[in-house]
Amino acid sequence: MLRKLIVQEMVSLDGYFAGPEGEIDWHRADEDYVAYAGLFLQSVDLLLFGRVTYELMAAFWPTAKHELASVMNEREKIVFSKRLVSANWRHTRLVSHDACEEIKRLKREAGQDMAVLGSGLLASSLLRAGLVDEMQLTVVPIILGHGIPLFRNIHPQVPLQLVHTESYLSGNVLLRYRIIGGDRDGS
């Protein structure tokens, strides 16, 4: 059985995962979201990042006083980048070759599921390659009007099956989708 690749993101109601300059100050990581995130992080054993998200995470989590800090710091991580020369966040491996080929290899290995956090360009390229199995999107009740879209250059359309929803007091809504079609669901 192949490991699943899950894209886990916070998005605005209009589909942006960051503001125009990469800002995420509009995210609502309330108590409900933190509880969900803790359970989610326990269900995966490998976190995947693009360079920009990795640099933000690596600057925050190693010294963070947050209930998720220990799991974020102890999980195995891969950063995909052709620019970085090293990755110094504990338990991080730098991969500078083709991300899609590396993910195909990792999916065949034993282990728990893998997750892309943030990293919109990486998520989009893996989705285009047919490697994403599931998306867990937390929609924040805000319309940004402009920003960095989560999914870019996705052709053809990617059909999804809603498998779970959950709403929180903050107004956040978790939407969990399974990718359908192609070899992702056995059809």
Side-chain angles (χ1 to χ4, degrees):
M1 184 159 169
L2 296 178
R3 296 165 82 181
K4 284 194 310 188
L5 176 61
I6 302 167
V7 170
Q8 194 275 340
E9 307 282 350
M10 262 195 179
V11 296
S12 66
L13 187 60
D14 51 349
Y16 297 108
F17 82 107
E21 303 299 320
E23 62 274 17
I24 57 171
D25 56 343
W26 51 273
H27 283 189
R28 293 186 185 177
D30 63 348
E31 186 177 309
D32 290 330
Y33 179 80
V34 171
Y36 150 75
L39 290 172
F40 176 76
L41 290 168
Q42 293 300 326
S43 74
V44 299
D45 64 1
L46 181 59
L47 303 176
L48 309 171
F49 300 101
R51 179 188 56 83
V52 173
T53 301
Y54 169 78
E55 288 175 337
L56 290 171
M57 297 279 197
F60 176 76
W61 286 110
T63 59
K65 303 293 184 226
H66 189 281
E67 60 192 279
L68 297 177
S70 64
V71 70
M72 287 297 293
N73 289 318
E74 294 306 316
R75 277 289 167 270
E76 293 295 320
K77 296 169 275 295
I78 294 177
V79 56
F80 293 97
S81 176
K82 290 181 174 35
R83 288 187 187 174
L84 288 178
V85 294
S86 66
N88 299 319
W89 186 11
R90 188 172 45 190
H91 304 293
T92 301
R93 181 167 58 95
L94 173 63
V95 173
S96 58
H97 58 273
D98 183 5
C100 292
E101 289 305 313
E102 182 68 9
I103 296 301
K104 287 176 187 175
R105 186 187 70 72
L106 289 167
K107 285 183 115 184
R108 291 187 300 269
E109 288 184 355
Q112 290 178 275
D113 294 335
M114 304 174 284
V116 175
L117 304 181
S119 311
L121 290 174
L122 177 62
S124 291
S125 70
L126 298 174
L127 188 60
R128 280 192 304 272
L131 295 171
V132 176
D133 301 292
E134 184 177 303
M135 286 191 280
Q136 295 190 21
L137 306 177
T138 300
V139 179
V140 177
I142 190 168
I143 296 172
L144 295 180
H146 60 289
I148 302 172
L150 176 55
F151 301 113
R152 300 179 226 188
N153 302 316
I154 303 299
H155 302 288
Q157 297 174 349
V158 178
L160 308 170
Q161 177 185 17
L162 182 64
V163 294
H164 179 78
T165 62
E166 199 168 320
S167 60
Y168 304 126
L169 291 176
S170 64
N172 287 350
V173 177
L174 171 64
L175 302 170
R176 196 172 119 214
Y177 292 100
R178 182 175 65 85
I179 310 294
I180 56 177
D183 63 342
R184 291 175 265 224
D185 68 348
S187 56

